[in-house]
């Protein structure tokens, strides 16, 4: 079945996930790739490749051109079927194995329809799963996680001999990585309890990769929400909700905080200043969980079907955010709300049977960015 689609200016790459069997009849998972050539409005011939295992996400695929040659770079994970559960560690590690593979995509006039595997780096975070991947030029970043978060920097300058350049271990994990400059990388993920392994709050990490073989952690921001609370960001699963404004060093991060106290609920955006000198500083919040709109379901823990994907943009010095069924506008400099919230029209779909719960709403038209 098809899984992910990736597109560059000259290639359309589609991945699919399934199962194959070896000569002994043993079944293993496999991911295949089809790379189509794009020329203007035309889509041309395709070439194929396969890797054992499966992709950790859409950012595990990358098209890179070096010295006039097209390359497909993929990160993949496999699970060893010959594992035992004799100890807790055996069960937790599940014999996972991760690798980055580099394929040469044949030119359009080639007589072959198969990509050639030219290089790979294996054993990335043995016994751990890939939580984040990012490819950028001759560099790659892979985050694996079990109890700690090793950030692996990869030297991909020679496609035939990719290698792990450096490793940095921190607590918690990053689920999304974003280069904000040549030497700085932001990570968005979760803080982890060091004993139970439970996910706690949002964790924003700033890495210095100026020494690529020895990456360092500049600062970590953790969203506190008390002993009985939990916070997370949609960026973990929807990287399009992430926004970093390079000119003003601003991070716009969707966030949700849940606690047993309804007054402490938060669902909106945090605005941070991020730079190498001052590190990570939280400037202000945009709260979409307002009692002025249909988001009142928070008060009684009601379920709500209407939902806008969290998105943000900056126009003329104003921050505009979209979440649930509301658009809000704040001035970036003064941190003040400049216009009344706009609530997108909703209709009552059906009433819950709980007399203490509010109606359930849904959006007439969803807005996607």
């Amino acid at each position: 079945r098809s899984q992910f689609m990736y597109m560059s200016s000259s290639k359309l790459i589609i991945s699919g996930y399934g199962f194959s069997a070896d000569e002994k009849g043993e079944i293993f998972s496999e991911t295949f790739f089809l790379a189509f050539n794009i020329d203007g409005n035309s889509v041309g011939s395709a070439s194929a490749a396969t890797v054992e295992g499966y992709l950790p996400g859409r950012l595990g695929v990358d098209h890179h051109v070096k010295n006039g040659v097209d390359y497909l770079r993929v990160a993949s994970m496999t699970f060893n079927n010959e594992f035992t559960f004799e100890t807790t560690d055996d069960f937790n590690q599940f014999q996972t194995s991760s690798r980055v593979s580099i394929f040469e995509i044949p030119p359009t006039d080639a007589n072959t329809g198969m990509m050639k595997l030219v290089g790979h780096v294996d054993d990335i975070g043995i016994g751990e799963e890939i939580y984040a991947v990012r490819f950028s030029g001759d560099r790659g970043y892979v985050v694996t996680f079990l109890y700690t978060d090793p950030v692996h920097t990869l030297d991909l300058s020679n496609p035939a001999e990719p290698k792990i350049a450096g490793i940095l271990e921190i607590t918690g994990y990053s689920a999304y990585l974003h280069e904000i400059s040549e030497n700085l990388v932001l990570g968005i993920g979760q803080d982890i309890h060091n004993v139970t392994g439970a996910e706690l709050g949002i964790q924003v990490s700033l890495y210095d990769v100026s020494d690529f073989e020895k990456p360092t952690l500049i600062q970590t921001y953790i969203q506190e929400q008390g002993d009985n609370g939990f916070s997370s960001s949609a960026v973990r699963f929807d990287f399009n909700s992430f926004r970093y404004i390079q000119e003003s060093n601003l991070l716009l991060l969707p966030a949700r905080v849940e606690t047993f106290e309804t007054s402490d609920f938060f669902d909106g955006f945090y605005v941070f200043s991020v730079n190498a000198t001052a590190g990570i500083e939280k400037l202000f919040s945009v709260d979409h969980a307002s009692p002025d709109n249909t988001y009142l379901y928070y008060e009684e823990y009601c379920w709500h079907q209407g939902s806008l994907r969290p998105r943000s943009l900056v126009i003329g010095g104003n921050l505009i955010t979209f979440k649930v069924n509301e658009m809000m506008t704040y001035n970036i400099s003064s941190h003040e709300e400049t216009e009344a919230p706009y609530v997108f029209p909703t209709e009552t779909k059906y009433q819950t049977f709980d007399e203490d719960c509010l109606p359930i709403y849904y959006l007439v038209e969803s807005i996607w960015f």
Side-chain angles (χ1 to χ4, degrees):
R1 63 178 183 178
S2 61
Q3 190 177 25
F4 299 113
M5 182 173 68
Y6 170 95
M7 188 170 183
S8 66
S9 60
S10 60
K11 301 293 178 185
L12 171 63
I13 298 169
I14 298 175
S15 70
Y17 176 73
F19 297 91
S20 294
D22 59 20
E23 296 178 351
K24 298 180 180 179
E26 295 182 354
I27 297 175
F28 59 92
S29 59
E30 187 176 51
T31 299
F32 68 86
F33 303 91
L34 292 176
F36 296 88
N37 298 308
I38 298 176
D39 184 9
N41 296 325
S42 301
V43 178
S45 58
S47 54
T50 61
V51 295
E52 185 178 351
Y54 64 95
L55 301 179
R58 282 188 289 173
L59 294 178
V61 181
D62 178 68
H63 168 229
H64 181 61
V65 181
K66 188 175 181 67
N67 298 326
V69 179
D70 291 286
Y71 294 99
L72 170 67
R73 307 188 293 194
V74 299
S76 59
M77 293 185 292
T78 59
F79 292 115
N80 185 352
N81 292 327
E82 298 178 359
F83 56 81
T84 63
F85 294 128
E86 296 177 359
T87 68
T88 301
D89 285 342
D90 287 340
F91 178 80
N92 287 335
Q93 291 188 20
F94 205 60
Q95 299 293 324
T96 54
S97 177
S98 302
R99 73 186 308 193
V100 168
S101 306
I102 302 179
F103 295 88
E104 181 179 336
I105 302 175
T108 55
D109 58 353
N111 293 323
T112 177
M114 297 298 298
M115 301 182 222
K116 177 184 177 182
L117 178 65
V118 295
H120 58 87
V121 53
D122 299 325
D123 299 332
I124 303 173
I126 298 176
E128 300 173 334
E129 291 189 46
I130 295 178
Y131 272 57
V133 182
R134 205 65 195 260
F135 296 104
S136 179
D138 288 337
R139 294 180 170 186
Y141 306 92
V142 175
V143 171
T144 57
F145 177 76
L146 183 59
Y147 297 112
T148 57
D149 169 11
V151 180
H152 304 79
T153 56
L154 306 181
D155 180 358
L156 307 177
S157 57
N158 183 354
E161 297 181 359
K163 60 183 179 180
I164 298 175
I167 300 177
L168 171 66
E169 291 194 2
I170 66 171
T171 57
Y173 66 84
S174 294
Y176 175 73
L177 299 173
H178 190 92
E179 280 190 343
I180 63 173
S181 71
E182 182 180 359
N183 296 320
L184 296 177
V185 176
L186 263 177
I188 310 297
Q190 293 291 123
D191 182 30
I192 299 295
H193 194 284
N194 59 2
V195 176
T196 65
E199 294 186 352
L200 300 175
I202 295 171
Q203 179 170 286
V204 182
S205 304
L206 182 61
Y207 304 103
D208 182 350
V209 293
S210 55
D211 185 344
F212 206 59
E213 296 182 354
K214 296 179 180 179
T216 59
L217 178 66
I218 296 177
Q219 184 185 347
T220 295
Y221 169 89
I222 297 175
Q223 176 61 40
E224 303 291 345
Q225 59 280 318
D227 295 334
N228 297 318
F230 173 80
S231 66
S232 64
S233 174
V235 172
R236 295 169 57 196
F237 312 105
D238 177 12
F239 60 83
N240 288 320
S241 65
F242 174 95
R243 187 169 296 277
Y244 180 77
I245 309 299
Q246 191 81 38
E247 295 77 12
S248 51
N249 298 322
L250 291 179
L251 167 63
L252 315 177
L253 186 69
R256 175 169 174 145
V257 178
E258 300 181 32
T259 70
F260 288 113
E261 298 295 330
T262 57
S263 59
D264 294 330
F265 268 116
F266 175 85
D267 202 338
F269 289 79
Y270 293 142
V271 180
F272 297 89
S273 172
V274 180
N275 59 70
T277 304
I280 306 168
E281 180 187 1
K282 186 177 176 182
L283 300 178
F284 66 99
S285 304
V286 177
D287 191 356
H288 282 257
S290 167
D292 297 327
N293 63 24
T294 55
Y295 221 176
L296 279 168
Y297 77 97
Y298 265 119
E299 299 297 329
E300 300 291 344
Y301 297 95
C302 296
W303 181 77
H304 190 282
Q305 179 171 294
S307 181
L308 288 171
R309 293 290 181 94
R311 297 293 185 263
S312 60
L313 62 153
V314 176
I315 300 177
N318 287 323
L319 166 63
I320 302 174
T321 59
F322 300 84
K323 211 169 195 290
V324 188
N325 68 327
E326 189 179 52
M327 178 180 73
M328 303 190 72
T329 306
Y330 275 69
N331 184 273
I332 282 290
S333 299
S334 67
H335 308 167
E336 297 292 332
E337 191 172 6
T338 58
E339 295 183 19
Y342 177 78
V343 179
F344 290 92
T346 60
E347 293 181 2
T348 302
K349 186 177 182 181
Y350 46 83
Q351 188 84 21
T352 61
F353 292 101
D354 185 351
E355 61 181 8
D356 295 325
C357 201
L358 294 169
I360 298 176
Y361 295 89
Y362 75 103
L363 285 177
V364 177
E365 294 182 2
S366 295
I367 294 183
W368 296 73
F369 294 94

